[in-house]
Amino acid sequence: MTTKVAQDRIGDLFVREGLITEKQLREALAEARSAGTRLGYALVKLGFVDEDELTRMLARQYRVPAVDLAKVTVDPRVIKTVPGNIAFRHLVLPLRRVGRTLTVAMANPTDMGAIDDLKFITRYDIEPVIVGEYTLRRHLERYYDTEDEKLAQMLTEFIDDDDLEYVDEEEEEVSVAALQEQVDAAPVVKFINGLLTDAVMKGVSDIHIEPYEKEVRVRYRVDGALQEIMKPPMKLKAALTSRIKILADLNIAERRVPQDGRIKLKLRKRVVDFRVSTLPVIFGEKIVLRILDQGNLTFDLADFGFEPSAQKSFMQAIAKPYGMVLVTGPTGSGKTTTLYSALSKVNTEEVNIMTAEDPVEYNLHGINQVLVRPQIGLTFAAALRAFLRQDPNIIMLGEIRDLETGGIAIKAALTGHLVLSTLHTNDAPSTVTRLMDMGLEPFNVASALNLVSAQRLLRRICKNCKEEATYSEEYLHSAHIPMDLVERTTFYRGKGCDECNESGYKGRQGIYEVMDMTSRIRKLIMAEVSTDELRDAAIDEGMLTLREDGLKKVERGITTLEEVVRETATVT
């Protein structure tokens, strides 16, 4: 019996059972033939039937038991009995082994060729059970695509040097219909599933997919540093981009303007969010996926690396019933995480907490989070005005970007609300100058501010390959390292090992510059003194600069001198 005849007969059965209409059958058969899939898969994909109902009917037809893969956890040792390429070729998934019998989930349990192949490869008797093809494909990708070697094997399998070059600009203009066909193809689906899973398992913070003239480059950002991972086949470039855009619910036909979206991935009972940003570049679209893994998120400020006096000042500032706390630093320095941690400390049933963010990075229970949408008029300022009519106790703003937002935030802080926000400045004292440059009045800034904290993230030395390090006098002098510190400190660095991917670093550590608003500091702000004078006064009042805080981490053997010198400036 040919596949076509079998599909036609099963299709007639579906119509007789009242599952689908004749018109739906014709449409599904056309879809199945063009995509090279079975009829059942096409029916589920097109939304004509529920897969559970379809599976039950096929189980009666074939007289084979059905299985719900959502309720089954397969032992990795059982998975290894059937190689990945065989599992995908025949659409089979090994479930359990009892004695000499291997139970295998199949989309077509009457496929004797597949059963014979499995008997020969595994040396076991095969007991087939039926499962819907749509669900089976998803579980195959889950069980077989998480391993690095499978990813690498898949890549080499589809590389074809003849297809690596695009000469004419017209070749880039792939029709949307053609792209739709490509993105549903197994190689593209497998590649993206494997890439996202691999990145999450390795603790990656960002994935960069970058198109160039004759190659596509994939890089991971691990512990703040980018490293090249692979170069996918050039012929998959458009399909890979479109697959990610479809998953992120973006417009695949629009390639001329930047787009932003999100992907939600459920990986072994843990939900991971990917923030997707596309940017048109001259050879296609660059895609960056920021991985927001709530499972790796810690909200305990004690684990962040604050020095005891700085942590005490920070905790006292967020415990006040009103005023403003600002966290500053460059993109990717952990500002939002610090603010979330502060919110988790004050998040109780008695308080109304509202946040305006762009985008909302993590969902926090008990907190009212608003996604800012400037394109429809929902700016930070508009959200803040609305918040003040909602009886808030604590307000968090993703960022103070302009005079309007800053002015409303200051007024909120002066009228009985605790306001938390971020600002892009190099250090804590320059934050005050930045606010006044926006046009805010010095006396309002001095009255509203409770505390300003600047921060950076440094890479931690890998504990597995940690070794002593020495530096030349010339380097120490040029980096302005105090000689008394050099004399009392044993310096360390990572030699490089498999655990840290030969980088010598594993994990990250925060360093902080916390400027408390003492009465002396407030008076200087109202006098509009320079940033340098403000910094000197703050140091006199006990503030540790970023450089000093970083050197304390070096003394404890947490990070390297190079990291501190790279991320902080010396105060002269």
Side-chain angles (χ1 to χ4, degrees):
M1 185 191 297
T2 66
T3 304
K4 179 181 181 303
V5 173
Q7 292 202 357
D8 286 346
R9 288 184 182 175
I10 292 170
D12 292 337
L13 183 64
F14 292 160
V15 174
R16 281 202 307 275
E17 290 282 335
L19 282 178
I20 55 171
T21 64
E22 288 280 0
K23 183 184 175 187
Q24 288 174 328
L25 173 61
R26 287 194 297 274
E27 196 172 333
L29 281 169
E31 166 70 23
R33 284 163 192 158
S34 67
T37 60
R38 291 180 173 82
L39 176 62
Y41 182 88
L43 286 167
V44 174
K45 183 183 173 186
L46 293 170
F48 292 162
V49 295
D50 179 72
E51 191 173 45
D52 289 343
E53 192 179 358
L54 180 66
T55 305
R56 282 195 297 272
M57 201 208 74
L58 288 173
R60 290 199 309 271
Q61 172 72 11
Y62 291 134
R63 294 184 177 85
V64 170
V67 65
D68 184 358
L69 290 182
K71 296 176 181 174
V72 176
T73 302
V74 186
D75 189 324
R77 288 172 296 183
V78 174
I79 288 292
K80 287 178 182 174
T81 58
V82 178
N85 59 334
I86 299 296
F88 278 99
R89 187 193 308 158
H90 293 306
L91 288 180
V92 296
L93 178 67
L95 299 180
R96 66 176 177 272
R97 182 173 63 82
V98 179
R100 299 297 309 160
T101 302
L102 182 69
T103 302
V104 177
M106 303 180 70
N108 179 10
T110 62
D111 187 348
M112 295 312 296
I115 291 173
D116 288 340
D117 272 4
L118 291 173
K119 279 182 182 176
F120 179 78
I121 290 164
T122 63
R123 305 296 183 193
Y124 292 125
D125 294 324
I126 303 300
E127 179 188 26
V129 293
I130 193 166
V131 68
E133 184 179 347
Y134 199 85
T135 299
L136 180 57
R137 285 182 184 274
R138 285 207 330 269
H139 281 76
L140 281 173
E141 288 160 4
R142 173 186 156 198
Y143 283 112
Y144 283 100
D145 269 319
T146 54
E147 298 169 30
D148 294 350
E149 56 266 30
K150 291 290 187 295
L151 196 61
Q153 180 185 337
M154 188 278 298
L155 284 173
T156 53
E157 191 178 328
F158 293 99
I159 288 177
D160 183 351
D161 290 339
D162 293 337
D163 294 327
L164 283 177
E165 286 191 36
Y166 283 102
V167 180
D168 298 327
E169 289 293 322
E170 289 76 19
E171 288 185 15
E172 291 293 333
E173 297 302 317
V174 185
S175 72
V176 175
L179 273 177
Q180 194 71 51
E181 282 185 29
Q182 288 181 37
V183 297
D184 289 334
V188 177
V189 173
K190 284 172 64 182
F191 179 88
I192 297 300
N193 288 345
L195 183 69
L196 299 186
T197 306
D198 180 56
V200 172
M201 303 301 283
K202 287 181 175 173
V204 172
S205 63
D206 301 85
I207 306 170
H208 291 240
I209 302 173
E210 303 162 320
Y212 296 101
E213 186 177 8
K214 294 185 179 179
E215 66 181 24
V216 180
R217 180 170 70 168
V218 176
R219 293 193 289 173
Y220 287 168
R221 188 179 292 280
V222 182
D223 295 333
L226 282 167
Q227 49 188 249
E228 186 176 305
I229 298 301
M230 65 184 81
K231 290 180 180 175
M234 190 68 176
K235 65 179 179 179
L236 294 182
K237 180 175 79 170
L240 293 177
T241 302
S242 299
R243 173 70 181 167
I244 291 173
K245 288 170 79 173
I246 286 171
L247 291 172
D249 201 21
L250 302 179
N251 182 358
I252 65 168
E254 182 53 81
R255 302 169 198 141
R256 301 163 301 171
V257 296
Q259 296 185 67
D260 293 297
R262 292 183 87 122
I263 298 171
K264 198 166 250 188
L265 177 73
K266 193 166 185 183
L267 180 65
R268 296 179 186 173
K269 297 183 180 177
R270 123 183 179 222
V271 176
V272 181
D273 271 341
F274 295 82
R275 201 169 79 205
V276 181
S277 171
T278 72
L279 178 73
V281 291
I282 57 174
F283 294 112
E285 288 176 279
K286 173 174 176 171
I287 295 182
V288 176
L289 298 99
R290 164 71 59 88
I291 301 174
L292 306 170
D293 185 359
Q294 202 144 357
N296 286 341
L297 196 63
T298 175
F299 287 148
D300 190 352
L301 283 168
D303 295 338
F304 280 25
F306 278 100
E307 293 300 312
S309 61
Q311 184 174 344
K312 183 181 175 186
S313 297
F314 193 86
M315 295 303 294
Q316 286 173 344
I318 63 173
K320 290 180 180 177
Y322 52 83
M324 181 183 282
V325 175
L326 293 178
V327 179
T328 76
T331 304
S333 60
K335 300 187 297 295
T336 307
T337 304
T338 301
L339 287 181
Y340 280 158
S341 304
L343 288 178
S344 71
K345 291 287 181 189
V346 294
N347 183 15
T348 63
E349 284 185 11
E350 291 80 32
V351 295
N352 176 20
I353 302 176
M354 312 198 76
T355 76
E357 303 169 61
D358 183 18
V360 175
E361 293 199 2
Y362 297 102
N363 301 322
L364 303 177
H365 179 69
I367 293 174
N368 305 286
Q369 295 172 275
V370 172
L371 175 63
V372 170
R373 297 175 186 268
Q375 62 272 25
I376 60 167
L378 184 55
T379 60
F380 280 114
L384 191 45
R385 280 198 201 90
F387 286 177
L388 295 174
R389 296 191 288 272
Q390 292 269 323
D391 184 33
N393 300 101
I394 299 167
I395 295 168
M396 184 189 112
L397 288 175
E399 188 184 345
I400 293 177
R401 294 178 180 171
D402 51 44
L403 173 61
E404 186 183 17
T405 309
I408 303 169
I410 291 266
K411 283 170 191 165
L414 291 171
T415 54
H417 306 91
L418 180 65
V419 179
L420 310 178
S421 189
T422 72
L423 209 62
H424 288 278
T425 57
N426 290 326
D427 57 12
S430 61
T431 304
V432 174
T433 312
R434 172 86 178 96
L435 289 171
M436 290 193 285
D437 284 346
M438 281 182 186
L440 297 170
E441 295 292 345
F443 59 87
N444 279 339
V445 173
S447 304
L449 278 180
N450 288 349
L451 176 138
V452 180
S453 173
Q455 67 183 67
R456 299 288 188 279
L457 289 177
L458 305 182
R459 291 182 290 175
R460 283 174 168 267
I461 300 170
C462 174
K463 292 177 182 174
N464 192 52
C465 60
K466 188 175 180 179
E467 64 176 13
E468 284 192 28
T470 55
Y471 297 93
S472 67
E473 280 189 33
E474 186 184 353
Y475 177 82
L476 295 168
H477 179 71
S478 64
H480 300 283
I481 307 301
M483 289 316 294
D484 60 326
L485 176 92
V486 175
E487 288 164 10
R488 69 173 185 265
T489 304
T490 303
F491 296 107
Y492 294 94
R493 64 157 58 101
K495 186 179 180 180
C497 63
D498 290 341
E499 229 173 90
C500 60
N501 202 22
E502 303 299 331
S503 68
Y505 297 99
K506 193 168 178 67
R508 289 201 280 180
Q509 165 75 51
I511 58 171
Y512 303 88
E513 179 176 290
V514 176
M515 186 171 80
D516 203 0
M517 288 295 120
T518 62
S519 57
R520 181 186 170 192
I521 298 290
R522 291 186 198 279
K523 285 173 186 173
L524 290 172
I525 292 172
M526 284 191 278
E528 297 185 54
V529 301
S530 69
T531 301
D532 290 340
E533 287 179 77
L534 204 56
R535 184 183 297 109
D536 291 340
I539 291 170
D540 288 343
E541 297 282 300
M543 181 186 85
L544 283 176
T545 64
L546 285 167
R547 170 61 66 93
E548 289 167 344
D549 194 42
L551 290 176
K552 282 186 176 291
K553 291 356 181 227
V554 171
E555 278 188 80
R556 293 200 204 98
I558 295 170
T559 190
T560 62
L561 197 56
E562 291 95 335
E563 278 291 288
V564 174
V565 170
R566 184 170 65 89
E567 288 290 343
T568 65
T570 182
V571 178
T572 53

